[in-house]
Amino acid sequence: MEFVRRYETGAGWCPDNRGMAQQTASTAVEQSPSERPQRSPWLGFLLRRTVRLVVSLFALITFAFLIIHLVPGDPVRKALGLNASPELVSSIRAELGFDLPLWQQYLKYLGDLFSGNLGVSLASRLPVGETIGNLLPNTLLLAVIAFVVVMVIAVPLGMLMAVLTQNGRRRGVELSFTTVSIVVSAIPEFLLAVGLVYLFAVTNPWFPIAGMDGPASFVLPVAALALGPIAAMSRIVRVEALAVLGLDFIRTARAKRLPAWRIYLRHALPNALTATLTLSGLLLSGLVAGTVLVETIFAWPGLGPSLVSSILDNDYPLVQAIVLVYGGLVLLINFVVDILLGLADPRSTIKET
Amino acid sequence: MSSLEFRNLTVTFGRGEKTVVAVDAVSLVVPDRTVVGLVGESGSGKSTLARAAVGLVDARSGDILVDGQPATTGRRRRGGLQMVFQDPYSSLDPRMSIGASIAEALPSDVRRAERRGAVAELLEQVGLDPLLAPRMPSGLSGGQRQRIALARALAAEPAVLIADEITSALDVSVQGQVLNLLREVQRGLAMSVLFISHNLATVCYLSDIVAVMERGRIVEIGPTEQIVADPQHPYTRELLESAPRLGEKIDPEQLAVPD
Amino acid sequence: MSTTDIAEKMVDRAAARAGTGRGGLLRRLATSPLGMAALLVDLLLLLLVVFGPMIWGAAAEEFDVDNMNSPPTDGHLFGTDSLGRDILLRVLVATRLSIGLALGATAIGAVIGLLLGAIPAVAGPRVGRAVVAVVNVAVAFPGLLLALFFASIFGASPSGAMLALGVAFAPGFARLTQTLTAGVVGRDYVSAARVIGVGRLRIIGRHLLPNVADTLVVNISLSAGGALLAFAGLSFLGLGVQAPSYDWGRMLFDGLDGIYVNPAAALAPGLAIVLAGLALNLTGEVGAQLVGRRVGSARLPAKPATGAATSVADGPDGSPGADDLVLDLRGLTVSFPRGRGEKSVPVRGVDLRIARGEAVGILGESGSGKSLTAMSVARLVPDPARVDVQSLTFEGRDLSANTSRELRRMLGTTMSVVFQDLMSSFNPVMKVGRQLAEVATEHQGIGRRAALDRAIGRLRSVSISRAEQRALQYPHELSGGMRQRAMIAMGLMGSPTLLIADEPTTALDATVQRRVLQLIAGVRAAEQSALLLISHDVAVVAAMCDRILVMYAGRVVEDIPVDDLLAGPRHPYSRALLAAVPTIQTDRSQSLRTIEGRPPQPADYPIGCAFAERCAFASEKCQQDPVLEPIDNGSVACWHPQQGPVPGVVIDSPAVVSRQRATTATAGPVMPSHEPSRTRERGR
Ligand SMILES: Nc1ncnc2c1ncn2[C@@H]1O[C@H](COP(=O)(O)OP(=O)(O)OP(=O)(O)O)[C@@H](O)[C@H]1O
Ligand code: SF4
Ligand SMILES: [Mg+2]
C-alpha cells in the first residue's frame, strides 16, 4: 500500500510525530521550562498550520492554472480536434482568455475562481461547477464509507494482534497475519475490484456489477477500496502498538501495578493512536485517489471517470477544476489531521521549531 | 607556541523572540602547553563554545584566535584546532575502516606511501594495536573508540586539542585509561588542551586552570588549586559542594508534610 | 551530560548492537528464506523481460480467427482475446513493457528525488528550507493522484505516463533522502570530518552516501513494486500504454469488457501484476527488515516467567531475623535466549536480603547485571528474559507465585520504583497529576478528585513549586530534575516499605543530583522505608547506603558495610573500582589507577573468577569459582581477599579515616599501575 510507504519514509505534515519509538529525541525541547510562565503554544501552532494551508492552496491553484499552459502545442486545437473550424478555435481561445498576457490570465483565473466560476467544459459545454457539484458527493460518500470501514476494522485488529503476539508469543499467528496482510496489501484496488466483480457479480450474481443504486451497490466498491488498506493499516497499528508497549513509561505503569487492561487502554492505546492518526490522514487521501480507479470499474457516478475522460479528451477546464477539488481535499484532510494530532499529543505543538 | 584565545565570543541560536544566547561574550585563553578545564552544567554553553572554535557553529560576534591568528578550520593543515567528541558510538563512521578514518585526518602533504606508517604510529601512540587499522569500528568498545577518535584528532597535528566530554559515555574503569592517555599525550606533545566536562572531579584532576561556565558566561577562572580551595563565585561554590565526595553522607531533605 | 545526550547514546548503542553494515545487502537478503523466494521471482522476471518478447513476441501477435474470445482450452491455456490472440503468451511478452516502464518511472523518481533531497544538505539554509517545505506539501499527495495530475500535462502515452509517475514518486524519495541524510549529518563523525577539513563533496561521497545507501536501495525496490501497480492502473485507465502496444494494465482493461465471456482474459494479466508486484515488494520488505529500519521485535516488559527453579522454593525459611526482612531474594538467575537453543546468563545466582529500613546499594559497571537484579525484584524484567529464583519474598509474601489482584494492590502501595528519568518514564500524553493519581484510584479506592488532591499534596511534599499547576501539565513541560521529583512523588502515593531506584540521578547535573539524592534520603527518613539504590558511582552509593553489594559479571563479588568499603574493601575488583574514580581530592601529580581490559560479556563469562583476567592477584586457584564467604562484617567471593585502605583514595569521613589508620600496618598495594602507552587493548 502506497500510503504505508509514504508514512514510513516520514511523510505527512507533522513528520516528527510518527513513531512514538522515536520519542527519546524529543528531550531536546527541555531547555529549562522550569519557572518560566507557560504561554500556550496552541495559538501559534494553529496560526502556522493555517498559513501553511493557505500557501499550499495557492500553490495548488497556480499549478492548476499552469496545466493548460504547460501542455505542449496548442491546447485548444488539441481539445477540439484537427477538423474543428478555425473560427471555433479562435472563439474558444478568446473565451478562455488566451489572448491576454499570462499574468492577466492568472488574475482573471483567480477572480473567476473566487466568484465560483469554474468555466465551461470544452467537451460537453456544460458549466464545470455544476458537473462537479453533481458528482463530488458520490465520490466523497464512497471514500468516507471506505475510510470508516478501514478504521473500524483495522485499529482493533492491529491492537489485538499486538497484544496477542507480544515479543515472540504465538509465532504462528504472527506469521500468518503478516503474510496475509503483505499479500492483500500488495493487490491494488483496481485488481481487487476486478476480482470482486468476477467472484460476486459475474460468477455469483449477488451484487450489482455497476452503478450506484441502493445499499447493495456500495458493497463491492467499498470492499475493493478498503481491503488493501485494512491489511496495511492493521499491520502498522500492530507494529506501532508493539513499539509503544516497549517504551519506558509502560514499565512505569507496570511498576504502579495497574491491571493489564488499564495499561493497554489508558497508556498504550492513546500513544499508538498518534501514529495511527498520522497514518489515517495519508489513508484517507489514498482512498480519495483510489476512488478514481474503482469508480471507473464500477461505473460509479463520481468524479473519477470524469477526471479520466477529461484528461483523455484534453478537456482542460474540467481537468483544472477536478485537480483543484482533489488537491484541495488532500490539503484539507492533512490540515485536519494535523490539528487533531496537536490535540492528541501535547508535544507536537512544541516540537517543531 | 600553541595557544587558543576566545575574545568576546557570542553565539546565538534562533531568531527574533526565541533567540537563545548560548555563549555570551566569553573571553578565555588556553595558554601554551596548558590544560584548561571548562566545567558547567548541561546547557551552560560548553559544547557550543567548542563547536564554535572548530567552526561547526557560527559565532555571532567575537574572535577565535590560534597563536594570535584567526582560526581557520579544516584545509588539512598542521597547527590548527582539533576536537574529540563526546559520544564514542557516533563519532566513527560505521562504514569506514579505522585506518581510513585516521588517514583522512592526516595533513594533505603526507605522501601516500607514508600514510600507512603514520596511521600505525598513531594507533601505537593511543595504546592500540596497529593491526586494528583495516577493521571496521563495529564491535569495538567505547574506550577503544575514544582512543581512535583521539588518534584521528592527533593525526592532524593540531596546535590545540578540544576534548568535549570525552569520558562521560565511558565506564569508570575505562574512563581512567582515557584520562591517563590524554594527559600523557598532552605532556608528550607539549600540546594545549581545552578539556570540557560537567564532572568537576575529572576537570580538576586533569587541568592546570579551571574555568566555570554558567548560562553562557564564564563566572570564574583560576588555577585549579585556587578554585578548589577558595572558590569566589557562589555558583562555583555550589558546584564544589554538590560534587559527591567519598565518605560523606547525604543529608535528608526535610519533606513538606503531605496533606 | 544532558538527558538528550544519554538518549542519543542509547539510540546509537542500539544501532551499534543491531550490527548494521556488515556484509552486502544482497548476501544478507539471500540468507533468509523469504528473501530467497523473492530473489528467485525477481530472477524469473528478469529472464522474462530479457527473453520473453524474443521467444514469444511473434506468436503473441498471431490471430486465431477460429478461436476469438475463447475461454481456456488446451491450445490456449488462458483463452484468447477478441482477435483470437493467445492470452498467456501476451502476458509473458508484456512483462518487458510492464516492468520496463515501472523501472523507468522509478528511476526518474529516484533521480529527481535524490537531487531534491540533497539540495538542503548542499545549498544554503534558505533554499534548503524552501525545498523542504515544497517537498513536505507534495509528499502528502497520493502518488496516483499526482500521476494523474501530471498525466494531464504530459498526455496519454507510455512515455507521458512514465514521466508523470516518475515526477509523482519524486517527493517521496526526496523526503526519504532528506530524513536519512539529516540523520547522518547530525552524527559526530560528520562533524569530525568537517573539523578535519574534509571537503563537502568528499563528505557526501565518503560519509553520507555509504551510510544511507542500504535504506535507499530497499526503498527503491519497494517503490518499483508500487510503480508497477500504479503504471498498470494508468494503462488500465487508458492513460498509459496505447494499442496496439500492450502491457498488463492495458490487457486487463481489454479483458474486463469480456469478463462474462472469458474471465481469464482479465484475471491472467491481473495475476501477473499481483505476482510481480508482490515479488518486488517482498524484496524490499525483506531488505528493509534486514537493514533494521523497522521495529521487528520490541523489548517488552512483562511479568517474569517463573521457571522450574521456583518449584524447589523452600519459602520463607526460619532463618534468624527473617521477620525483619523486607526483601529476601535467593538464587536469582536471569537468562536470555540467544537462538539455536543457546542462552546468555547475565545474572548468575544473586542473593539479596534487605532489612526493614535498610539502605542497600548495588555498585558495578555497565552490563554487570545491576538493573536486571533490581527489575527482577520488582518483577519488571522484559519478557524474552527468563527469571528463575529459588525464593523471592517481599513483606513475608511469596512473589514467585502468580499475581492475584490483592497481591498487586499490596505491591502497588508498598514497593515503589524510581527509574532513571530520560523523559521516557512518563506517559507523554497524560497529565502528570493524573499519572500520580492513578495509583490511588487503582489501589486505594479513592475517587478521582480526591486522588488528584493527594497527588498534588505529594508533589508539594517533594518541593515542587506551584504543585496545583504542575499537576495539570504534561511531562515534557517539566525540567529534568522536576520530573525526577515527580517520579519520586509517584512512589509516595502509597506508603512504600521498599524504594527501588535504578540510577535515579545519572542523567542529572551535579547540583540537581544532590538535591534529588537528598529528597530520596528524606523519603527514607519520613517513611522508614528500605532503599535499593543502583548506581555505577561509588560516591553516590556510599553517600546514601548502609551496605553495598559490588556486582561483577552477573554475580555479587562483595557484600560490605559502607564504612568498611571506604576503609578498604576485600575484593580486588572493589578496591580497583574505588581507586579508579577520580574525586576532587585525587592527587593530580599521579596517574589515575586504572583497571586494564574490560568486563567480559554475558555470552562469554569464563569458568572460575570472572575478574581473573584483569586481576593482579590471580593465581592458579582462581580458575575455580570463588563463592561468597562471610568475612568480617560482610562477605566476599575471592580466593585472595585483600585488606587495608586503598592507596591514593582520599576519604572525607573522620570515622573511616581512623579505621583506615588502624589497618594501615597491613596495607597492601591496590594494583600495579600500568603505563598507558604500553597497554594494548586487544581487538576481538
Ligand atoms: N533484552 C536483552 N537481550 C539480551 N541481553 C540483555 C537484554 N537486556 C539486558 N541484557 C544483558 O544483560 C546484562 C546485564 O544488563 P543490566 O541492564 O542488568 O546491566 P546494568 O548493570 O544495569 O548496566 P548499566 O550500568 O549499563 O545500566 C548486559 O550485559 C546485557 O547485555
Ligand atoms: S578470585 Fe582470584 S582472580 Fe578473582 S578477584 Fe580474587 S584473586 Fe582476583
Ligand atoms: Mg542499568
Side-chain angles (χ1 to χ4, degrees):
Chain A
M1 254 322 80
E2 193 211 345
F3 76 94
V4 171
R5 192 167 51 253
R6 297 216 160 208
Y7 169 74
E8 282 173 345
T9 56
W13 292 61
C14 203
D16 303 331
N17 245 314
R18 67 154 306 259
M20 289 291 305
Q22 297 171 350
Q23 66 151 337
T24 36
S26 70
T27 39
V29 243
E30 62 137 354
Q31 271 302 345
S32 89
S34 40
E35 298 302 328
R36 237 184 300 126
Q38 300 274 325
R39 194 162 49 96
S40 165
W42 246 101
L43 212 69
F45 174 74
L46 210 66
L47 202 73
R48 278 198 304 277
R49 286 302 134 104
T50 314
V51 167
R52 191 195 273 188
L53 176 69
V54 171
V55 170
S56 315
L57 276 175
F58 252 96
L60 179 72
I61 292 171
T62 312
F63 174 79
F65 165 74
L66 285 177
I67 284 180
I68 200 165
H69 296 279
L70 289 173
V71 174
D74 179 355
V76 178
R77 174 53 76 186
K78 251 179 144 172
L80 298 181
L82 289 175
N83 29 22
S85 67
E87 295 80 46
L88 185 62
V89 170
S90 56
S91 82
I92 297 282
R93 286 187 68 90
E95 183 188 319
L96 291 172
F98 269 28
D99 312 328
L100 304 171
L102 199 63
W103 64 271
Q104 281 187 14
Q105 288 185 43
Y106 185 51
L107 288 185
K108 178 172 175 293
Y109 182 73
L110 286 182
D112 283 351
L113 207 59
F114 286 113
S115 58
N117 175 11
L118 290 171
V120 174
S121 160
L122 295 181
S124 66
R125 305 303 296 161
L126 289 173
V128 169
E130 206 171 286
T131 315
I132 288 180
N134 290 336
L135 301 179
L136 181 62
N138 299 338
T139 295
L140 284 183
L141 197 60
L142 194 58
V144 168
I145 291 178
F147 177 73
V148 172
V149 168
V150 173
M151 295 306 268
V152 164
I153 297 179
V155 174
L157 183 65
M159 280 302 281
L160 185 72
M161 281 297 155
V163 173
L164 284 183
T165 62
Q166 253 184 68
N167 40 258
R169 272 189 249 148
R170 300 196 182 77
R171 265 277 140 74
V173 175
E174 185 193 335
L175 202 67
S176 27
F177 171 73
T178 14
T179 313
V180 169
S181 106
I182 287 184
V183 171
V184 172
S185 59
I187 305 175
E189 52 276 75
F190 63 94
L191 277 182
L192 271 175
V194 172
L196 289 172
V197 164
Y198 174 66
L199 286 179
F200 302 112
V202 177
T203 319
N204 309 295
W206 296 339
F207 300 103
I209 192 167
M212 176 177 165
D213 182 23
S217 65
F218 277 84
V219 174
L220 292 186
V222 167
L225 274 175
L227 268 176
I230 287 176
M233 184 96 178
S234 56
R235 192 152 46 106
I236 298 272
V237 170
R238 170 178 166 268
V239 169
E240 289 294 339
L242 277 180
V244 170
L245 284 175
L247 291 177
D248 283 350
F249 66 82
I250 296 289
R251 188 180 57 178
T252 310
R254 283 186 199 278
K256 284 191 252 177
R257 316 290 160 185
L258 301 178
W261 68 265
R262 207 186 166 92
I263 293 175
Y264 291 135
L265 292 185
R266 301 302 281 277
H267 289 274
L269 188 63
N271 281 289
L273 275 186
T274 50
T276 312
L277 206 57
T278 313
L279 199 55
S280 67
L282 293 166
L283 167 71
L284 189 54
S285 314
L287 284 176
V288 168
T291 54
V292 176
L293 281 153
V294 171
E295 285 176 356
T296 308
I297 293 172
F298 289 99
W300 194 263
L303 268 186
S306 304
L307 174 60
V308 175
S309 60
S310 62
I311 293 175
L312 286 172
D313 299 346
N314 299 315
D315 187 351
Y316 294 106
L318 193 55
V319 171
Q320 284 179 313
I322 299 181
V323 163
L324 274 184
V325 170
Y326 278 116
L329 272 178
V330 170
L331 292 177
L332 211 64
I333 290 168
N334 279 285
F335 176 73
V336 171
V337 164
D338 258 8
I339 301 300
L340 289 180
L341 268 176
L343 283 173
D345 184 350
R347 291 165 308 163
S348 67
T349 50
I350 295 189
K351 205 186 274 171
E352 47 180 68
T353 33
Chain B
M1 267 296 286
S2 56
S3 70
L4 168 66
E5 182 176 357
F6 298 93
R7 265 193 212 152
N8 258 318
L9 190 79
T10 301
V11 182
T12 58
F13 293 114
R15 277 172 305 174
E17 217 181 296
K18 285 192 225 153
T19 306
V20 178
V21 184
V23 173
D24 191 358
V26 162
S27 294
L28 176 69
V29 181
V30 181
D32 190 26
R33 294 167 201 228
T34 315
V35 181
V36 173
L38 187 59
V39 274
E41 306 209 322
S42 68
S44 60
K46 310 181 296 285
S47 289
T48 308
L49 189 70
R51 295 177 86 84
V54 294
L56 288 174
V57 295
D58 292 330
R60 185 185 188 115
S61 61
D63 299 302
I64 302 160
L65 308 173
V66 178
D67 293 338
Q69 303 296 316
T72 51
T73 40
R75 297 287 79 97
R76 306 222 227 163
R77 253 194 274 110
R78 294 183 174 77
L81 284 170
Q82 279 303 320
M83 174 155 163
V84 180
F85 295 83
Q86 165 171 4
D87 181 0
Y89 292 92
S90 99
S91 64
L92 295 178
D93 187 338
R95 301 297 166 99
M96 209 182 223
S97 75
I98 291 160
S101 278
I102 298 174
E104 200 175 43
L106 289 168
S108 47
D109 58 5
V110 177
R111 263 183 279 125
R112 201 159 276 278
E114 296 165 4
R115 293 189 161 238
R116 187 186 290 250
V119 168
E121 215 169 280
L122 283 160
L123 282 171
E124 259 328 307
Q125 197 172 7
V126 296
L128 290 175
D129 191 331
L131 292 178
L132 281 179
R135 288 193 34 196
M136 291 293 170
S138 64
L140 293 188
S141 71
Q144 286 172 317
R145 281 160 179 263
Q146 270 327 36
R147 285 169 195 253
I148 294 164
L150 182 60
R152 176 178 55 193
L154 294 178
E157 299 182 30
V160 183
L161 185 74
I162 300 178
D164 186 7
E165 301 268 15
I166 58 170
T167 60
S168 51
L170 302 179
D171 252 319
V172 259
S173 68
V174 181
Q175 165 180 309
Q177 297 168 11
V178 172
L179 290 179
N180 280 343
L181 173 65
L182 180 62
R183 191 148 117 150
E184 188 201 22
V185 163
Q186 184 262 331
R187 293 195 177 153
L189 302 175
M191 250 189 334
S192 314
V193 173
L194 179 61
F195 181 81
I196 300 174
S197 175
H198 70 286
N199 183 335
L200 196 60
T202 52
V203 165
C204 289
Y205 171 69
L206 215 67
S207 316
D208 308 303
I209 295 171
V210 171
V212 182
M213 201 161 178
E214 187 199 16
R215 282 190 238 147
R217 294 166 185 265
I218 304 266
V219 294
E220 183 163 5
I221 181 164
T224 308
E225 285 75 15
Q226 188 189 314
I227 295 274
V228 173
D230 184 22
Q232 297 300 312
H233 195 275
Y235 180 69
T236 313
R237 249 175 267 145
E238 195 189 347
L239 265 188
L240 275 166
E241 279 160 19
S242 303
R245 285 155 199 268
L246 264 182
E248 66 159 345
K249 287 284 170 195
I250 300 253
D251 307 321
E253 174 179 315
Q254 211 61 44
L255 294 201
V257 188
D259 29 41
Chain C
M1 184 173 5
S2 72
T3 44
T4 328
D5 297 334
I6 292 181
E8 278 171 6
K9 174 190 128 192
M10 311 264 292
V11 171
D12 285 333
R13 263 210 222 176
R17 274 204 203 116
T20 56
R22 242 174 304 164
L25 183 59
L26 204 64
R27 204 169 61 229
R28 280 183 288 150
L29 256 181
T31 52
S32 90
L34 211 58
M36 208 45 202
L39 281 183
L40 271 180
V41 182
D42 289 345
L43 188 72
L44 191 73
L45 288 176
L46 188 70
L47 291 178
L48 277 178
V49 166
V50 177
F51 300 111
M54 276 190 236
I55 304 175
W56 301 294
E61 296 293 345
E62 269 170 30
F63 302 129
D64 185 345
V65 273
D66 302 331
N67 282 314
M68 288 196 290
N69 276 330
S70 105
T73 59
D74 281 348
H76 305 285
L77 221 48
F78 285 89
T80 58
D81 67 6
S82 54
L83 292 175
R85 295 172 297 198
D86 187 85
I87 299 286
L88 177 62
L89 291 184
R90 286 176 78 77
V91 168
L92 291 177
V93 173
T95 311
R96 179 186 282 182
L97 199 55
S98 306
I99 296 208
L101 287 171
L103 291 185
T106 312
I108 294 173
V111 169
I112 302 179
L114 278 176
L115 291 178
L116 270 181
I119 287 178
V122 181
R126 196 159 292 176
V127 181
R129 259 201 299 276
V131 173
V132 170
V134 170
V135 168
N136 273 351
V137 175
V139 89
F141 284 82
L144 187 67
L145 209 53
L146 279 186
L148 284 171
F149 290 1
F150 287 112
S152 66
I153 297 175
F154 299 134
S157 68
S159 55
M162 187 166 85
L163 213 56
L165 211 54
V167 176
F169 271 41
F173 278 115
R175 178 44 165 283
L176 182 70
T177 316
Q178 279 167 13
T179 320
L180 288 175
T181 47
V184 176
V185 165
R187 295 269 125 149
D188 282 347
Y189 58 79
V190 174
S191 299
R194 283 171 64 191
V195 173
I196 289 165
V198 179
R200 202 167 235 180
L201 281 178
R202 200 182 140 88
I203 286 185
I204 292 179
R206 288 298 306 263
H207 296 286
L208 280 185
L209 285 183
N211 283 295
V212 301
D214 272 6
T215 318
L216 271 181
V217 167
V218 163
N219 265 274
I220 289 176
S221 162
L222 278 172
S223 297
L228 183 85
L229 302 183
F231 212 103
L234 286 180
S235 284
F236 176 73
L237 288 174
L239 296 172
V241 173
Q242 309 290 337
S245 305
Y246 55 101
D247 68 345
W248 292 332
R250 184 78 210 179
M251 290 183 68
L252 188 69
F253 176 70
D254 295 336
L256 196 61
D257 286 339
I259 194 161
Y260 280 108
V261 191
N262 177 18
L267 297 183
L271 208 65
I273 294 170
V274 172
L275 274 183
L278 209 57
L280 288 175
N281 271 337
L282 215 58
T283 317
E285 294 274 348
V286 175
Q289 246 144 45
L290 291 178
V291 170
R293 187 167 57 83
R294 300 198 180 164
V295 194
S297 65
R299 272 182 65 174
L300 299 165
K303 58 175 188 267
T306 39
T310 330
S311 55
V312 295
D314 41 9
D317 58 17
S319 63
D323 285 348
D324 284 345
L325 289 184
V326 178
L327 179 83
D328 189 353
L329 166 71
R330 299 191 188 193
L332 169 75
T333 316
V334 185
S335 55
F336 287 93
R338 300 208 314 148
R340 289 195 225 98
E342 283 180 52
K343 58 181 183 176
S344 74
V345 190
V347 177
R348 319 180 280 169
V350 165
D351 292 353
L352 174 60
R353 248 147 282 171
I354 302 178
R356 199 161 293 285
E358 189 187 21
V360 175
I362 302 186
L363 186 66
E365 288 179 84
S366 188
S368 55
K370 308 182 295 290
S371 298
L372 283 177
T373 302
M375 289 306 111
S376 299
V377 169
R379 305 195 42 162
L380 292 171
V381 176
D383 206 22
R386 185 189 157 89
V387 178
D388 290 305
V389 291
Q390 263 157 28
S391 71
L392 172 56
T393 323
F394 173 69
E395 288 285 349
R397 304 280 302 265
D398 183 8
L399 288 196
S400 57
N402 271 332
T403 15
S404 66
R405 192 189 158 81
E406 187 257 330
L407 183 67
R408 228 185 46 224
R409 174 166 300 173
M410 190 272 273
L411 283 179
T413 49
T414 54
M415 182 193 279
S416 33
V417 188
V418 178
F419 297 103
Q420 182 172 332
D421 176 23
L422 280 185
M423 173 81 191
S424 53
S425 290
F426 277 101
N427 185 341
V429 302
M430 203 190 246
K431 287 174 180 156
V432 174
R434 274 199 53 207
Q435 297 194 44
L436 267 72
E438 220 177 12
V439 181
T441 47
E442 185 57 38
H443 298 306
Q444 293 158 324
I446 300 177
R448 280 179 66 154
R449 187 62 244 174
L452 189 62
D453 283 344
R454 177 188 288 233
I456 293 170
R458 292 301 186 269
L459 286 174
R460 202 174 288 138
S461 77
V462 297
S463 312
I464 287 185
S465 57
R466 296 186 289 124
E468 297 83 357
Q469 279 137 285
R470 295 292 175 203
L472 297 181
Q473 286 182 328
Y474 289 98
H476 71 266
E477 295 173 277
L478 270 52
S479 70
M482 223 184 291
R483 275 201 295 272
Q484 197 54 289
R485 283 174 179 272
M487 174 67 81
I488 293 169
M490 191 187 297
L492 287 178
M493 290 300 288
S495 36
T497 54
L498 176 62
L499 199 66
I500 300 176
D502 187 359
E503 310 257 7
T505 57
T506 302
L508 303 176
D509 282 321
T511 51
V512 186
Q513 156 166 310
R514 170 158 297 249
R515 277 177 244 133
V516 170
L517 290 177
Q518 285 173 341
L519 175 62
I520 292 178
V523 169
R524 267 197 71 210
E527 299 276 337
Q528 303 291 312
S529 49
L531 171 69
L532 178 61
L533 177 73
I534 287 106
S535 177
H536 62 271
D537 188 333
V538 189
V540 167
V541 272
M544 296 288 291
C545 298
D546 309 321
R547 190 157 61 89
I548 289 178
L549 304 184
V550 182
M551 282 190 76
Y552 190 77
R555 284 190 177 151
V556 175
V557 295
E558 185 159 15
D559 176 348
I560 188 172
V562 164
D563 285 349
D564 290 2
L565 180 96
L566 296 173
R570 314 299 300 255
H571 197 280
Y573 175 66
S574 316
R575 297 172 71 83
L577 207 54
L578 206 57
V581 186
T583 62
I584 298 176
Q585 303 102 309
T586 304
D587 184 357
R588 297 187 47 219
S589 61
Q590 309 248 310
S591 308
L592 281 175
R593 310 272 177 160
T594 61
I595 316 174
E596 292 311 319
R598 54 166 152 159
Q601 296 294 306
D604 36 54
Y605 284 157
I607 303 168
C609 178
F611 189 59
E613 208 181 300
R614 309 167 81 188
C615 180
F617 307 99
S619 72
E620 199 80 343
K621 205 171 178 190
C622 303
Q623 287 174 5
Q624 289 161 36
D625 272 346
V627 278
L628 204 59
E629 305 257 18
I631 189 169
D632 297 341
N633 300 320
S635 33
V636 65
C638 174
W639 295 116
H640 310 292
Q642 305 297 306
Q643 57 177 316
V646 181
V649 174
V650 190
I651 307 292
D652 256 4
S653 154
V656 173
V657 173
S658 69
R659 199 176 320 189
Q660 273 187 348
R661 285 218 188 86
T663 48
T664 311
T666 51
V670 207
M671 196 138 299
S673 133
H674 297 262
E675 280 308 313
S677 60
R678 265 185 275 123
T679 354
R680 266 299 130 75
E681 279 195 32
R682 270 164 305 151
R684 273 195 317 191

